[in-house]
Amino acid sequence: MPTGAGEAIPLLEKALELEPDYAAAQAQLARCFQIRSSHKGLNEADRVTAVRYARAATRSDDATALGAAGLVIWFADHDYDAAFEVYRKAGATLVPI
């Protein structure tokens, strides 16, 4: 498993205890569980948890959180249409320079 993903999970869960709608924590938890799932023999419980956190993060307008959530939805849930919608939403939140 990439360094830090497993160690980050309890810290991110604590962040969500303090602020349940914190999209950045939801999205990064999704990534951590997706990473753990893919590196530990495709653990189904971790995959389902990753998708749950990713879907929760899609309620945000934080482009970075949306990008991470879209990645997890793409790779862990194989819902490509939903992932593209999340990417479109992320792009719509960006302010042109």
Side-chain angles (χ1 to χ4, degrees):
M1 176 177 357
T3 305
E7 293 85 358
I9 289 172
L11 300 172
L12 292 163
E13 289 174 332
K14 180 64 176 173
L16 287 179
E17 286 176 22
L18 298 172
E19 191 174 334
D21 294 328
Y22 186 20
Q26 292 168 334
Q28 292 310 312
L29 261 171
R31 285 285 296 131
C32 288
F33 277 104
Q34 186 259 328
I35 289 166
R36 193 165 83 170
S37 169
S38 66
H39 286 82
K40 285 196 167 190
L42 299 176
N43 179 293
E44 181 64 10
D46 283 346
R47 187 196 71 76
V48 169
T49 301
V51 171
R52 180 172 49 86
Y53 280 121
R55 299 265 182 199
T58 65
R59 295 189 296 264
S60 168
D61 62 354
D62 177 327
T64 303
L66 290 167
L71 181 82
V72 172
I73 291 167
W74 180 281
F75 284 106
D77 206 20
H78 306 286
D79 187 345
Y80 310 118
D81 291 335
F84 275 116
E85 284 305 312
V86 173
Y87 294 139
R88 282 187 194 99
K89 182 178 178 182
T93 67
L94 301 176
V95 177
I97 298 175

